[in-house]
Amino acid sequence: MASRNDSNFMDTIVSLCKRRGFVFPASEIYGGIGNTYDYGPLGVELKRRVKEAWWTRTVTMRDDVVGLDSAIIQNPKTWETSGHVAGFTDPMVDCKKCKSRFRADKLEDARCPERPSKRPGECGNELTEPRAFNLMFKTQVGAVEGAGSIAYLRPETAQGIFLNFKNVVESSRMKPPFGIGQIGKSFRNEITPGNFVFRTREFEQAEMEFFLPPEQNDHWYQYWRTERHQWYLDFGIDPSRLRMREHAPDELAHYSTGCTDVEYEYPFGWGELEGIACRTDFDLKRHSEASGKDLRWFDPDTKQKYFPWVVEPAAGVDRTALTFLIDAYDEEKVEDETRVVLRFHPEIAPITVGVLPLVKKEGMPEKALEIDRELRRGRYATFYDESAAIGRRYRRLDEVGTPYCVTIDGDTMKDDVVTVRERDTMQQERVKVGELRSWLADRIATWKRPERKS
Ligand code: GAP
């Protein structure tokens, strides 16, 4: 049985993701492109649910946060002003012999490609002095190449929010304290990506800039720390593997008054899932100075203008999806078999209901398809499966984390009652077809993370 403590546990996750259509290596038929991944049918649903869960809680359910979808390629002055052109760098060293490149501050974790038992530099080959390597991807805009046409793929979604601060205030009449949330792709030319989709060059972020009167900074910083921590717990993440790590003063950016990382204990060690940062008025002030546009907020009560301060919860969507996958993975012995089960929260599970006719005759498939259609109309993500023995079908759906299976049997044809099997307990209950949707809604709303032995 695979356990989280096994050194190859990540291989188990990667293999499940490929086999069941969560995540595929990108450009696989051409030999791939290092550490880049595509999301398959179940992966795209999982990620969609992660984004939906974030957006619903952070934007839709609140009257003080609105949404935005800003461009990936912005005017390059954006990145000069934000400090990314000059400072968004990693220190790199090159091996003078094999020409491999490594992060100077991560040599401890790196391996020489020619002698993998050694670290770079310990293998007998000489390394160059560290040099700053900018992580932004450059591209050309327009038909003429040249310095004037250079642009960048955004390395974070946050700056698009600052650029639109005035537009949002004027169009939506929002007043501090209020937030602007955004989900979208970001790009970083990471030299040492790794640990599957934990660190990649192309990834999605879910970021929110919360603009506030400076004197409310401490209140909102604590508020968003608590709220974001609770979000992971509410969606079933193991509390013992989640921690809040407050940055030491020497880790903070020069303009920041505080930052906390939400960290998860991955099989490869503790890692950052999300950062909640106090950015003060740094970004709005800088963009105001550089653009010549006044980005101060006019407070009609005090008749004063000021730059709002910002608290920013910034999460990685791919990292969150990976965390849900790893955290959900469980194995248990059932009779002589090992049952692999992803114990996703039902709102995170890519498929919510499996619809299974007991046998392929006596009108059961037709009845099952009718129920399947009815559930889909009610916006439930279903999967209809009529092939193989019922036990085997349950196992296949357990392995992709489907919380409920509806079985249509001979009795259903007489009394219009189905058997619903719950993934976590494997317990079965008879439910009237007409009450199925409300039964499911109730179970989903009251779902609790099951006690786990592993
Ligand atoms: N605007 C602030 C900002 O971008 P960050 O800590 O650099 O902060 C926020 O990024 C989150 O984005 C991280 O906590 C992580 O979850 C995710 N992230 C950052 N770089 C990533 C990468 N190369 N691959 C996957 N996710 C990444």
Side-chain angles (χ1 to χ4, degrees):
M1 276 177 46
S3 139
R4 280 184 63 112
N5 302 325
D6 297 347
S7 57
N8 60 356
F9 180 70
M10 278 308 288
D11 296 341
T12 306
I13 295 288
V14 174
S15 143
L16 173 90
C17 282
K18 170 97 197 287
R19 190 161 36 81
R20 298 308 310 270
F22 282 94
V23 181
F24 306 128
S27 327
E28 196 180 10
I29 60 169
Y30 289 111
I33 169 162
N35 289 90
T36 308
Y37 297 93
D38 294 336
Y39 286 83
L42 292 185
V44 76
E45 290 295 340
L46 173 65
K47 232 167 92 154
R48 227 175 53 76
R49 285 183 183 27
V50 167
K51 290 186 272 188
E52 188 62 32
W54 185 92
W55 191 270
T56 304
R57 177 92 155 242
T58 316
V59 182
T60 315
M61 285 172 67
R62 304 184 64 101
D63 60 7
D64 58 356
V65 180
V66 290
L68 182 79
D69 187 4
S70 67
I72 285 173
I73 299 176
Q74 299 280 358
N75 186 313
K77 285 192 188 133
T78 307
W79 310 108
E80 286 162 24
T81 308
S82 65
H84 284 84
V85 171
F88 195 53
T89 56
D90 277 342
M92 306 304 302
V93 290
D94 293 321
C95 172
K96 289 187 178 171
K97 179 159 176 272
C98 75
K99 308 293 177 212
S100 300
R101 187 164 270 190
F102 309 96
R103 266 182 68 170
D105 55 339
K106 297 267 175 189
L107 283 177
E108 280 295 298
D109 309 328
R111 292 280 159 240
C112 163
E114 292 184 344
R115 296 178 66 192
S117 63
K118 302 278 181 198
R119 296 199 178 89
E122 290 174 359
C123 54
N125 300 332
E126 207 184 328
L127 300 175
T128 61
E129 284 301 308
R131 276 178 297 203
F133 177 84
N134 196 295
L135 297 183
M136 279 196 296
F137 280 101
K138 273 190 196 152
T139 186
Q140 296 284 141
V141 173
V144 184
E145 286 194 16
S149 61
I150 285 180
Y152 302 95
L153 303 191
R154 68 178 174 202
E156 61 172 19
T157 60
Q159 294 303 321
I161 298 179
F162 296 121
L163 301 190
N164 282 288
F165 171 73
K166 214 172 173 55
N167 285 334
V168 172
V169 166
E170 286 173 3
S171 61
S172 312
R173 288 183 282 118
M174 301 301 285
K175 297 179 186 155
F178 81 97
I180 305 178
Q182 162 153 249
I183 296 180
K185 285 246 169 161
S186 292
F187 303 82
R188 297 181 188 179
N189 195 2
E190 304 274 8
I191 297 307
T192 46
N195 287 323
F196 198 32
V197 295
F198 180 82
R199 178 169 285 107
T200 50
R201 299 195 172 97
E202 176 180 337
F203 54 97
E204 275 186 283
Q205 291 184 306
E207 298 197 283
M208 201 268 291
E209 308 303 315
F210 199 76
F211 300 94
L212 44 99
E215 65 277 11
Q216 295 181 15
N217 185 65
D218 292 353
H219 165 78
W220 287 108
Y221 178 42
Q222 294 310 329
Y223 173 89
W224 283 109
R225 276 166 42 115
T226 308
E227 161 59 12
R228 292 303 304 147
H229 183 234
Q230 192 59 43
W231 184 87
Y232 293 100
L233 298 179
D234 290 349
F235 285 97
I237 295 292
D238 181 349
S240 72
R241 296 195 191 278
L242 205 61
R243 73 179 183 195
M244 302 296 273
R245 190 184 74 80
E246 178 110 39
H247 285 208
D250 63 355
E251 286 180 88
L252 295 176
H254 65 90
Y255 52 82
S256 176
T257 59
C259 186
T260 301
D261 287 344
V262 184
E263 292 189 339
Y264 181 77
E265 190 180 17
Y266 294 95
F268 44 85
W270 286 94
E272 175 193 330
L273 247 178
E274 163 161 2
I276 297 118
C278 297
R279 297 183 73 116
T280 62
D281 57 2
F282 177 76
D283 305 87
L284 284 183
K285 213 180 218 170
R286 292 272 296 227
H287 286 302
S288 210
E289 284 160 9
S291 66
K293 302 282 182 302
D294 187 357
L295 300 181
R296 285 176 300 171
W297 151 256
F298 174 71
D299 186 335
D301 298 330
T302 61
K303 310 277 186 260
Q304 302 276 313
K305 274 185 167 185
Y306 70 93
F307 287 108
W309 281 29
V310 167
V311 171
E312 173 200 70
V317 174
D318 307 73
R319 236 176 240 191
T320 305
L322 176 67
T323 307
F324 279 125
L325 261 165
I326 291 173
D327 199 69
Y329 189 92
D330 196 14
E331 287 188 9
E332 63 181 11
K333 274 265 171 256
V334 177
E335 291 154 12
D336 295 342
E337 275 183 48
T338 301
R339 180 170 92 113
V340 174
V341 48
L342 293 181
R343 299 189 189 276
F344 287 130
H345 186 292
E347 287 180 37
I348 295 294
I351 303 169
T352 317
V353 195
V355 181
L356 319 170
L358 187 62
V359 289
K360 269 196 276 183
K361 54 186 184 189
E362 293 160 18
M364 289 180 219
E366 291 75 11
K367 180 73 183 167
L369 282 167
E370 194 186 297
I371 293 171
D372 184 65
R373 270 193 300 274
E374 173 61 14
L375 289 172
R376 282 174 190 267
R377 266 200 293 272
R379 308 277 171 96
Y380 286 102
T382 66
F383 185 79
Y384 173 81
D385 189 4
E386 59 176 31
S387 66
I390 192 77
R392 203 164 142 59
R393 281 182 272 164
Y394 284 150
R395 292 287 182 277
R396 287 199 296 236
L397 285 156
D398 287 341
E399 200 190 32
V400 297
T402 308
Y404 309 103
C405 283
V406 170
T407 304
I408 290 84
D409 58 21
D411 287 343
T412 313
M413 307 309 291
K414 290 180 230 140
D415 58 12
D416 224 28
V417 175
V418 289
T419 302
V420 189
R421 170 199 182 260
E422 292 199 62
R423 173 199 66 200
D424 294 329
T425 57
M426 292 189 288
Q427 279 171 4
Q428 306 196 352
E429 200 174 312
R430 301 284 288 169
V431 179
K432 284 188 188 146
V433 172
E435 291 168 9
L436 197 49
R437 272 162 60 165
S438 59
W439 186 95
L440 287 166
D442 182 56
R443 289 305 161 108
I444 292 169
T446 54
W447 182 86
K448 291 267 174 305
R449 183 191 154 83
E451 285 299 318
R452 304 253 292 265
K453 289 173 210 86
S454 59

